Structure formats: structure tokens, C-alpha cells
Amino acid sequence: MSATLIVDSTTINSKDEFMTYRAMSSNTHFQRRQMLQLTALGAIAFGASSEVATGQESAAALPLPKRPLPVVDARFPVEVASGVFILLDKRVPLVPNIGIIVGRDTVLIVDCGLGIDSAESVLALARRLAPGRQVVLTVTHAHPEHGFGAQVFKNNGRIYYNALQKEYLGRAGQKLLDGFRTNILPPNHRYLLDNIVLTPPDQTYDQDHTTLDLGGRTVEFRTWGKAHTPGDQIVFLPDERIVFTGDLAEERMFPIVPLFPPMITAQDMNISQWEIALGDMLKLQPNLVVPGHGSIGGPEILAEVLAYFGNVRQSIGLATNVDRHLIEHIRAEYPTWENSEFIEPAVRYFLQET
Ligand SMILES: [Zn+2]
């Protein structure tokens, strides 16, 4: 994770710079720029959340943000259509948007978050929202923050997704678990993955499209094989035209190109397929897009991710290695997007593709 903080489009690399920014925030833009130029760069690491974007002057009075625990907060589900609830991620890193879809007989949960506590709180909420229904958990893809807590559902419901995702979990699950603990989670958050048991689904489907009848409501599952991961899938509600995309789309965040060998290699993803998936999702003409991470919105979320990949390809042009200026050039085109650490793996991916 980068230790750079972005406030009001101003990049801040140290605590000193942040204090200077705060002191100057009520002054003119010109004066602020002058002060920042006088400040030493990068003297003190932040140890706070990687990036914060805010355009409000009042934000300067807030305390430094601390990196929040990546635990699902199940207190405030939002009902976006009758019987369709979303637990918003609140832009907390490693917390996914979660869906709870209530049918007459069955409640379907889309992703359960990272760790046992998150999964238990999601299950408890689903039971409260849909008492007496049988519980089905589906997982958009095999990355730990979406489903490494699924064991909670083993004796409390059924787990259902496609065969390729099951195969990938079986092949790479331990590597993902170890890699997330060691390289992705900060040391004081690693305990969240304690006691995780890699839990395969009870039932799978093999085809690229299937449906599940929840009782008075049918949901669709679609997969494109290997895209962001082997076997990621979307959940689509055809009546309401709501799509849960998993990490095939993030909103105002650089798409998670998870190229982190040896944990995840280029063979574990296929961005051309990912682009096809985005195009096909656009053809579904969704009214509401629930991305893997970030705010919910309309189809523009999908279009922006698709355009981003095209832009990165174009920006690379004839380059043959990962160049700092290239990364900065791409970064500058998306000033409001978070998680810029995912630009570099995207560039690396496209370079190895050519
Ligand atoms: Zn993912």
C-alpha cells in the first residue's frame, strides 16, 4: 500500500506536509501551493489509510484517518428494491459490497466478507431480514475478502457457484490465504484470517449461465471463465435489472489487476475476457450496478472500467518496461480514483501480453 495521501488533489507524502496543508487550507490555492513547495518531501511515513480524496475545506479539521478494520458492518443494510438489500462497503479497503436477496423460500447472499466475524454477521442479518428461509451463499470469486469466511455457512445453508471457481479455490486457496495474511493485511489485522478453513461449495454449475429460483424471484448467474480470476461470476436480477459484479468492476477505484506472483500469476487472469464480461454486462442494461468495491451506481461504472483498460493499453504504446512516467501519466488522468497501486500490475500485465 502506498503511504501517499491525496487531499483536494494535492499529493501529501508526509505528516509534516499534511500539517502544513491543514494550516493553509483556509488560504488561497496559490498560497497553499507555495507552502507545499517549501516543505520537505516524504520525511515521515503516514501509517494511515492509503489514500483519501476530499474536496471539502472542512475535511481539514478532521483527525488523520486510520486504516479501518476490514470487517463487514452489518448494521445498516440498504433496501434498493423490494427484498433486495445491500451492505455497502463504505469504501473500507478489503470490505466488499454484499447483497442479500430475499425470495419466498430462499435468501441468497452474495459474498460474505473476510473472516469468520464478517461472515457470521452477514448470516445473522440475512436471518433477520428473511426469517425461515433456507440460506444460499454465493461468492463472486475466490479472493479472500469476498468469501474466506464461507465455512460459517457450511451447516447453516448451502454454498453455490461455478465449477471453475471451485477448482481455483482448491488449487490456489491456501496460497491466497497465506499471501493475504503475509502481504496484503497489515500485521495487526492478520488475526482476521485465523482459523479459516477453505470451504468448497456444496453444489456447482458448469455452464456459463444458470438461474436459481428463490421462490417468486429468479436470479441469474453468469461467468466468463477466467477474467479477474478463474471462475468469477456476476449475479443479475432480471426484473429489477440489478447486477452484482464482484471485482469485475470497482467504482472510482483503479481496477484490481491482481498480478502478484507467485501468489497470483498472469495465468490466473485474462483481461481480454474481463473486457468481454464488461461489454456483456453493459448489454444487460442494468439500472443498478453493485461493484465489488466502491459506491453503487449505474452502467457508467462498467463503461469506465472498460475505457480504463483501453486507455492503459493505448498509453503503453510501444513501451517495453514499466516506466515511472507512464504510471504517473495514467494516475493523473484519474485524479479522483483510489488504489493507484493497481496501475502498475495492469501495465505489467499488458506488457507481458504483447
Ligand atoms: Zn478480487
Side-chain angles (χ1 to χ4, degrees), residues 141 143 145-146 228 247:
H141 63 294
H143 284 161
E145 84 271 28
H146 294 264
H228 166 75
D247 282 357

Side-chain angles (χ1 to χ4, degrees), residues 73-78 85-87 100 102 107 109 120-133 135:
D73 181 350
R75 292 174 298 169
F76 308 110
V78 177
F85 298 88
I86 298 171
L87 280 174
I100 297 177
V102 182
V107 56
I109 298 168
E120 282 180 343
S121 65
V122 171
L123 174 62
L125 175 65
R127 283 188 164 146
R128 186 160 66 76
L129 295 173
R133 273 57 153 213
V135 173

Side-chain angles (χ1 to χ4, degrees), residues 257-268:
V257 175
L259 185 53
F260 301 115
M263 180 173 68
I264 304 171
T265 70
Q267 282 68 50
D268 294 326

Side-chain angles (χ1 to χ4, degrees), residues 7-19:
V7 178
D8 196 14
S9 304
T10 303
T11 302
I12 296 181
N13 292 302
S14 72
K15 193 172 181 179
D16 276 355
E17 286 182 27
F18 183 79
M19 300 309 280

